[in-house]
């Protein structure tokens, strides 16, 4: 039994010595790696931009008349509807003004009635020459003046009534109101200029997302529009997808409703605006978000992110070339589509992309490998 073990040990030693000699003469054995051609697929391009949400409408609430604030009829930050009462200004001075205007109207009506009566009497007296035609003309003139004064008094009454109505400050738009800027008991200024700011209201649904696109992207979109591959956002409504800073999926959708008419010279960008539904009112003006803008469709090559390595400032994909030798190809990356990375440039459809073993130092440019058939599969949606 011991002789047999000795023979086996000698045989193993000889085999190890032969293998070591072969390794020393021919170098290390070739590393097996999985390779596959990049997946060819027609994909939809979504270009990403950063931006912020803005209200569709924003109104500064100011009073049209001056006076003391008697009452505040809202809670800071609440949702208001059009016409909801917000502030009540002391009505007493304006009620007195209305009563004075009504009295002036009544006085002028009495003067008109008297002037009409005198003109009517003069018509019967002029035929008997009791009065002269000049006196009758004077009576008619007095009637015309009285009527004009009545119209002026009626206009003053309507103005007084309007000022009284404006003592009730109501919501001009529906939305969320800010906190009050003045408290009850304060004297405020009203009117067209210099009026005191009372509060602000912003609309919530729908809401706008405002972002800037670069000159290069703007030119690319313009060329796509001229070629008919993309509809103009000025004429139509190109779709967008949005996610917030704490979201991973592009759940929110909207449509572009405005593109500015000029590039900003300082930044070299043009402002674009999208309209987004906000039924749950989660989106608040000023919130930051990321937007994907529909940029047309194109034929793309896709590889898994695990097949891409970084070389300083470059992104590289290893491919197996003639003689099963590894080659490095710098590539330009695109977005993620169905779990795979779009390669914008640097790869050919017939390239054999190395899918695994990239961490092994034996898989490097110039090294010989043993390619094995692999497969690149897109994730199901």
């Amino acid at each position: 039994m011991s002789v047999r073990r000795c023979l086996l040990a000698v045989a193993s030693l000889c085999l190890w010595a032969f293998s070591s000699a072969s390794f020393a003469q021919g170098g290390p054995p070739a590393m097996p790696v999985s390779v596959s051609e990049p997946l060819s697929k027609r994909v939809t391009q979504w270009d990403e931009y950063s931006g912020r949400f803005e209200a569709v409408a924003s109104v500064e609430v100011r009073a049209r008349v001056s006076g003391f604030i008697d009452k505040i009829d809202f809670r800071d930050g609440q949702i208001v509807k059009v016409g909801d009462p917000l502030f009540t200004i002391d009505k007493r001075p304006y009620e007195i003004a209305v009563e004075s205007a009504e009295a002036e109207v009544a006085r002028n009506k009495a003067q008109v009635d008297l002037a009409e009566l005198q003109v009517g009497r003069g018509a019967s007296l002029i035929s008997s020459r009791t009065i002269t035609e000049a006196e009758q003309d004077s009576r008619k003139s007095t009637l015309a003046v009285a009527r004009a004064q009545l119209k002026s008094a009626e206009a003053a009454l309507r103005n007084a009534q309007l000022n009284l109505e404006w003592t009730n400050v109501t919501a001009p738009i529906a939305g969320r109101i800010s906190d009050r800027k003045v408290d009850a008991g304060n004297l405020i200024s009203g009117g067209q200029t210099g009026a005191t700011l009372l509060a602000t209201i912003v609309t919530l649904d729908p809401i706008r997302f405002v972002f800037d696109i670069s000159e290069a992207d703007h030119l690319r979109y313009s060329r796509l529009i001229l070629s008919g591959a993309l509809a103009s956002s000025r004429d139509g409504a190109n779709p967008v997808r949005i996610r917030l800073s704490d979201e991973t999926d592009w759940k929110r959708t909207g449509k572009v409703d405005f593109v500015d008419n000029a590039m900003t010279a300082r930044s070299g960008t043009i402002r674009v605006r999208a309209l987004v539904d906000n039924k749950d009112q989660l989106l608040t003006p000023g919130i930051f978000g990321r937007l994907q803008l529909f940029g047309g469709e194109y034929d793309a090559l896709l590889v898994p992110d695990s097949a891409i390595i970084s070389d300083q400032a470059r992104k590289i994909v290893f491919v197996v070339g003639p003689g099963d030798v590894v080659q490095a190809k710098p590539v330009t990356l695109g977005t993620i589509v169905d779990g795979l990375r779009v390669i914008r440039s640097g790869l050919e459809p017939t390239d054999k992309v190395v899918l695994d073993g990239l961490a092994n130092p034996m898989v490097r440019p110039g090294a010989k490998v043993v390619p094995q058939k692999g497969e690149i599969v897109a994730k199901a949606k």
Side-chain angles (χ1 to χ4, degrees):
M1 188 68 177
S2 60
V3 174
R4 184 177 179 182
R5 288 181 177 177
C6 289
L7 291 174
L8 288 174
V10 171
S12 299
L13 184 61
C14 292
L15 180 61
W16 176 82
F18 177 77
S19 300
S20 299
S22 298
F23 181 82
Q25 294 176 2
M31 181 74 180
V33 294
S34 298
V35 299
S36 174
E37 294 178 350
L39 180 64
S40 298
K41 185 176 181 181
R42 188 163 185 83
V43 299
T44 300
Q45 177 171 335
W46 294 91
D47 299 319
E48 289 193 24
Y49 301 96
S50 298
R52 292 190 181 275
F53 290 96
E54 290 184 359
V56 172
S58 176
V59 172
E60 293 182 342
V61 180
R62 301 178 189 267
R64 300 187 183 186
V65 293
S66 302
F68 285 91
I69 297 292
D70 263 355
K71 188 172 61 170
I72 297 176
D73 302 297
F74 69 93
R75 178 174 48 84
D76 291 350
Q78 79 174 59
I79 300 295
V80 296
K81 300 178 182 178
V82 176
D84 282 354
L86 302 179
F87 297 88
T88 302
I89 298 173
D90 187 4
K91 298 177 181 292
R92 291 171 297 178
Y94 299 98
E95 290 172 342
I96 293 173
V98 169
E99 292 175 358
S100 177
E102 288 174 343
E104 187 67 16
V105 168
R107 187 179 70 82
N108 281 277
K109 280 185 177 179
Q111 290 180 345
V112 169
D113 292 341
L114 177 60
E116 288 177 344
L117 182 60
Q118 289 177 343
V119 169
R121 288 175 178 173
S124 60
L125 294 175
I126 197 173
S127 58
S128 61
R129 299 186 181 276
T130 305
I131 62 173
T132 63
E133 292 185 1
E135 185 176 352
Q136 180 65 2
D137 292 340
S138 177
R139 292 184 179 186
K140 290 180 179 179
S141 175
T142 301
L143 175 58
V145 170
R147 285 174 174 171
Q149 291 175 340
L150 175 60
K151 287 184 178 181
S152 177
E154 290 173 341
L157 173 60
R158 288 195 298 271
N159 184 65
Q161 291 171 337
L162 193 57
N163 287 336
L164 178 60
E165 181 182 339
W166 283 341
T167 58
N168 296 316
V169 181
T170 59
I173 62 172
R176 188 177 298 279
I177 194 169
S178 69
D179 60 333
R180 69 195 71 180
K181 306 304 180 184
V182 295
D183 293 318
N186 281 287
L187 176 64
I188 63 166
S189 298
Q192 296 182 354
T193 58
T196 304
L197 176 64
L198 304 179
T200 59
I201 303 175
V202 295
T203 57
L204 295 179
D205 184 31
I207 196 169
R208 287 184 176 132
F209 188 85
V210 180
F211 59 101
D212 295 322
I213 65 174
S214 65
E215 181 178 345
D217 286 345
H218 177 64
L219 290 174
R220 178 166 57 85
Y221 293 142
S222 299
R223 296 187 189 281
L224 287 173
I225 292 169
L226 291 175
S227 67
L230 184 67
S232 172
S233 294
R234 287 190 172 96
D235 301 328
N238 284 324
V240 298
R241 304 187 301 193
I242 299 173
R243 65 177 175 86
L244 305 181
S245 58
D246 63 343
E247 296 176 341
T248 56
D249 298 329
W250 304 88
K251 299 178 180 179
R252 306 180 185 278
T253 59
K255 293 183 177 180
V256 175
D257 71 334
F258 170 78
V259 179
D260 212 344
N261 59 356
M263 301 286 294
T264 303
R266 178 173 296 180
S267 63
T269 60
I270 189 168
R271 187 166 60 98
V272 184
R273 198 174 65 197
L275 198 63
V276 184
D277 288 334
N278 190 24
K279 302 294 184 185
D280 57 4
Q281 297 182 356
L282 173 66
L283 305 177
T284 303
I287 286 182
F288 171 84
R290 293 283 292 174
L291 174 141
Q292 286 187 334
L293 175 62
F294 176 73
E297 296 182 343
Y298 63 98
D299 295 322
L301 300 178
L302 295 89
V303 300
D305 262 340
S306 58
I308 303 170
I309 62 175
S310 298
D311 178 15
Q312 295 180 351
R314 301 184 305 172
K315 297 296 183 180
I316 292 176
V317 171
F318 284 168
V319 299
V320 176
D324 295 337
V325 175
V326 176
Q327 299 176 351
K329 282 198 168 185
V331 294
T332 302
L333 305 183
T335 58
I336 294 288
V337 175
D338 298 340
L340 299 175
R341 177 68 66 178
V342 172
I343 304 299
R344 289 191 171 273
S345 63
L347 275 185
E348 299 295 333
T350 56
D351 284 337
K352 296 179 180 179
V353 178
V354 178
L355 302 179
D356 57 12
L358 299 177
N360 194 316
M362 297 178 64
V363 180
R364 63 189 186 279
K368 190 168 184 177
V369 295
V370 179
Q372 297 178 348
K373 182 63 176 177
E375 185 178 6
I376 297 176
V377 181
K379 292 183 180 179
K381 292 184 179 180

